[in-house]
Amino acid sequence: MKPDNIIVALATPPGRAALAIIRVSGAGSIALVSRLIPELTDISPEQARRLIHGFAYDSNGNLLDEITVIPYLAPKSYTGEEMVEIICHGGRVSGGVLISKLCELGAGVAEPGEFTKRAFLNGRISLSEAEAVAAAIEAKSELALKAAARNLKGELYEKVDHIRKAIKNLLALIEAEIDFSDEEINKTPFDEIAIEIAKQHERTRTILKSYDFGRGLNSGYKIAIVGRTNVGKSSLLNALLSRERAIVTEIPGTTRDTLTEWIEIAGFPILLTDTAGLRDTSGTIEAIGQERTKSEIDKSDLVIFMIDSSSGATAEDNEIYRSMEGKPILVVANKIDLN
Ligand SMILES: Nc1nc2c(ncn2[C@@H]2O[C@H](COP(=O)(O)OP(=O)(O)OP(=O)(O)O)[C@@H](O)[C@H]2O)c(=O)[nH]1
Ligand SMILES: [Mg+2]
C-alpha cells in the first residue's frame, strides 16, 4: 500500500539556530501549505524545485514568520510524493508553531524515519540506501560518514544488483539446458556455469565480510581496559581522552565503577571503558565494581589487559588473564619508566 496521507516534521534539531527546515510530504501538500503561505498558491511545474520567498500567516491573517519554501511535484521529490520544504527561522518557536498550524489543517506528525520509509516504499531509494540515510545521520566519525555516503550513492545496491542479475542469467542458462538438452542449439558448457557460480559466490562472501567492518564503523567497537588495581588503567583512559576524566591516585582500588567514553581511533568510533581493578577484596562496593568489570569484559569486542611491567606478570595477573579465555586480548605493559 502506498500511503498518501500528509505528514509533517522538523528536519533540523529543535532549539536555538539561525534556520529550521520543515518537511511536508503527501498528495495535496502544496495546497495544504498554501493555506499558511499564500505564495504557494497555484504552483506551476516550472516553479517546482525552485526556492520561493514568502511569508507565513495563521488562519486569522496574523504574520508568523518570513520564510523561503521549495515545492516538489510527484514523483520528483525525496519521498516520490508531492512535497514542500519550508525554511523558517530557527529557535524554539517558529518551526513548532508552523507544524502545529499544519497539523490543525490535517497533516499528521511524521514518525522518525517516515520520509525515508516513504522514499523506499515509492521505489525512490533501495533498502541499502535507506539504511545509509540512517547510517549518515548516526555516523560517529568521518570514516563512517564516508562509508555511508558511498552507500547513499548506491554502491552497495549496485554490487548486490550486479550479483542478482548474474544469478538470474545463470538460472536462465541452466533452465534452457534442462528444457532443450536434447536439441542441438548453442549450449553453455557446465564448467563455464560452475566457474560463474563460484565467481558470484566469492563476490557475495566479500560483501558479507564487509559487514563486520561496517558494523564497527556504525555502532563502534567496545574496548575495556582491565587489570589488577593500580596498574594504570585510569591513567591510560585519561591519556587516550587527552583529559583528566577518571580519578587517578596511587591508592589501589581507586576506580570503583565502570566509566565509559567515546573516542575515535583511525576513523573508528570506540566506546572505551575504564574498569575497577581486579583483586581479592572484602569491600562491598569494590566487589560490586569488580562484578561490573566482569560483565564489561563479556560485552567487549577487545580487552586491553594492562600489567605493571615494574613488577612483571604476577600470579594474580595470570589468573585474570586465564579468566578472559576466548576474548580478543591486547596485553599492555605499563610503568616501563620504573624498569
Ligand atoms: N611511574 C609510573 N606511574 C604510573 C604510570 N601510569 C600510572 N601511574 C601511576 O600509577 C598509579 C595508579 O594509576 P591509576 O591510573 O589510578 O591505576 P588504575 O589501574 O586505574 O588503578 P585502580 O583504579 O585502583 O584499579 C597512579 O599514581 C599513577 O600516577 C606510568 O606509566 N609510570
Ligand atoms: Mg582506576
Side-chain angles (χ1 to χ4, degrees):
M1 189 198 78
K2 289 189 178 176
D4 56 3
N5 52 323
I6 298 176
I7 49 168
V8 58
L10 204 58
T12 44
R16 276 188 65 147
L19 298 172
I21 299 176
I22 298 167
R23 271 173 155 181
V24 189
S25 183
S29 292
I30 297 176
L32 184 91
V33 179
S34 74
R35 292 170 67 186
L36 298 183
I37 303 170
E39 285 80 2
L40 272 192
T41 313
D42 298 330
I43 289 296
S44 65
E46 291 71 40
Q47 286 172 293
R49 289 151 66 96
R50 286 175 192 271
L51 198 72
I52 298 169
H53 171 255
F55 293 91
Y57 300 87
D58 68 13
S59 51
N60 298 322
N62 298 311
L63 183 61
L64 293 173
D65 198 3
E66 183 183 18
I67 49 86
T68 50
V69 63
I70 310 166
Y72 298 84
L73 297 175
K76 286 188 166 181
S77 76
Y78 178 65
T79 57
E81 302 171 337
E82 188 177 309
M83 268 186 81
V84 180
E85 278 173 3
I86 307 166
I87 304 165
C88 62
H89 286 102
R92 288 163 192 268
V93 182
S94 178
V97 169
L98 291 177
I99 287 175
S100 68
K101 300 286 172 210
L102 289 168
C103 289
E104 280 167 24
L105 294 173
V109 174
E111 303 280 335
E114 199 173 349
F115 287 86
T116 303
K117 182 177 159 192
R118 288 188 176 197
F120 169 67
L121 289 176
N122 291 323
R124 291 291 289 173
I125 56 173
S126 68
L127 191 57
S128 59
E129 283 157 357
E131 284 172 349
V133 173
I137 294 169
E138 295 292 333
K140 295 183 186 70
S141 70
E142 191 177 327
L143 198 63
L145 178 68
K146 284 175 178 163
R150 283 199 300 276
N151 288 339
L152 275 175
K153 226 175 144 220
E155 202 173 272
L156 178 62
Y157 176 77
E158 274 167 29
K159 281 185 194 161
V160 175
D161 197 48
H162 190 89
I163 296 172
R164 190 179 63 84
K165 283 181 182 144
I167 292 173
K168 263 177 84 176
N169 269 342
L170 280 168
L171 211 58
L173 286 176
I174 294 166
E175 279 169 6
E177 190 68 35
I178 294 165
D179 289 347
F180 308 109
S181 54
D182 300 338
E183 294 163 36
E184 281 306 312
I185 51 168
N186 279 345
K187 286 199 231 159
T188 315
F190 272 128
D191 43 359
E192 257 180 48
I193 292 178
I195 289 169
E196 189 57 26
I197 290 174
K199 210 156 107 188
Q200 299 313 327
H201 187 215
E202 193 47 42
R203 284 197 173 133
T204 310
R205 283 165 58 99
T206 308
I207 293 179
L208 282 175
K209 267 191 240 160
S210 71
Y211 168 79
D212 268 344
F213 180 78
R215 184 191 67 87
L217 271 184
N218 292 330
S219 337
Y221 292 105
K222 284 177 75 73
I223 299 183
I225 311 171
V226 174
R228 278 191 295 123
T229 55
N230 215 39
V231 291
K233 300 180 295 299
S234 302
S235 305
L236 177 63
L237 176 97
N238 288 347
L240 289 171
L241 290 174
S242 306
R243 64 190 164 96
E244 298 306 303
R245 175 66 181 87
I247 300 172
V248 168
T249 75
E250 67 288 352
I251 307 162
T254 298
T255 306
R256 299 293 187 88
D257 202 353
T258 51
L259 198 161
T260 296
E261 288 286 333
W262 281 105
I263 58 164
E264 188 186 318
I265 298 177
F268 286 91
I270 309 279
L271 195 62
L272 191 65
T273 303
D274 180 25
T275 64
L278 296 169
R279 65 169 174 182
D280 275 339
T281 179
S282 53
T284 315
I285 301 173
E286 201 175 341
I288 295 170
Q290 294 191 1
E291 277 312 309
R292 291 193 178 179
T293 300
K294 284 170 192 158
S295 103
E296 209 54 51
I297 293 170
D298 286 340
K299 286 187 275 177
S300 296
D301 297 300
L302 173 77
V303 173
I304 294 180
F305 176 50
M306 185 174 270
I307 59 169
D308 179 344
S309 62
S310 65
S311 60
T314 63
E316 222 174 355
D317 284 325
N318 289 333
E319 199 182 312
I320 299 167
Y321 186 81
R322 275 197 302 274
S323 73
M324 298 189 292
E325 209 190 320
K327 273 274 152 192
I329 295 173
L330 178 70
V331 180
V332 172
N334 194 30
K335 306 197 184 182
I336 50 167
D337 54 307
L338 299 181
N339 279 340

